[in-house]
Amino acid sequence: MTGKTHIIGGLAASLAFAQVTSYDPVLLVGAGVIGAVLPDICHGGSKIGRAFPVVSKVINKIFGHRSFTHSLLFLVLIAVFMDSFVTNEAVIAGILVGMGSHLVLDMATKNGIKLLFPLTIRVRFPITTRTGGTVEHVVLTALSLLSVYFGYEAFGYYL
């Protein structure tokens, strides 16, 4: 999936999660968007890879693309790290929800992800699409509509 689909996916997922929690929706959603792009730190051409080119290059050299940073192991390590250093639960939850949305979206691509890294098994859905294709644009549109719906639910009381 492309960066914009991951961003909208993280936005939709964190807005949906805001419906069932009492976390500050602004912090939750902001962190959700960051978490949604974080796994692509392993790809130098990604939004986050371009922001942190040295880190991206090192991670890619060691692990490659869609392996360690697209795994449950990475998700757990980030959770443990944040639990030790981040004091705001809304930020922690948002990052993890955003990362989860990224993994789910990339499992919908033909290449899938190494969800169970260090095992080399690629995990993908039975029906997949190619990155940037027509189906991805349909998914992006659906996620955008869900973001508006969940956004109104989460922030409607501010209006």
Side-chain angles (χ1 to χ4, degrees):
M1 297 287 170
T2 60
K4 63 186 171 198
T5 303
H6 283 305
I7 289 169
I8 295 298
L11 180 66
S14 56
L15 284 167
F17 190 67
Q19 306 302 306
V20 296
T21 68
S22 59
Y23 294 137
D24 179 349
V26 174
L27 292 174
L28 182 68
V29 169
V33 170
I34 292 167
V37 297
L38 184 59
D40 273 344
I41 190 68
C42 63
H43 187 282
S46 69
K47 292 183 183 306
I48 194 165
R50 288 190 311 270
F52 301 97
V54 174
V55 174
S56 179
K57 186 171 267 192
V58 168
I59 291 173
N60 185 279
K61 185 79 167 165
I62 295 170
F63 300 108
H65 183 49
R66 290 190 180 174
S67 62
F68 172 64
T69 62
H70 286 68
S71 70
L72 293 175
L73 175 61
F74 185 65
L75 189 71
V76 168
L77 290 174
I78 292 294
V80 169
F81 174 80
M82 286 192 303
D83 190 49
S84 299
F85 296 102
V86 178
T87 57
N88 190 298
E89 289 183 15
V91 171
I92 294 170
I95 294 280
L96 296 176
V97 166
M99 288 177 67
S101 75
H102 185 111
L103 300 182
V104 168
L105 286 169
D106 275 356
M107 285 191 298
T109 62
K110 293 193 182 299
N111 289 334
I113 61 174
K114 292 183 181 172
L115 185 65
L116 303 174
F117 182 88
L119 299 177
T120 58
I121 301 165
R122 288 205 174 266
V123 177
R124 64 176 179 240
F125 293 126
I127 298 172
T128 61
T129 186
R130 66 177 180 80
T131 300
T134 303
V135 174
E136 181 176 350
H137 293 304
V138 171
V139 170
L140 177 64
T141 301
L143 289 171
S144 297
L145 292 172
L146 283 171
S147 293
V148 170
Y149 173 76
F150 289 129
Y152 181 77
E153 291 295 315
F155 295 103
Y157 60 89
Y158 286 117
L159 301 177

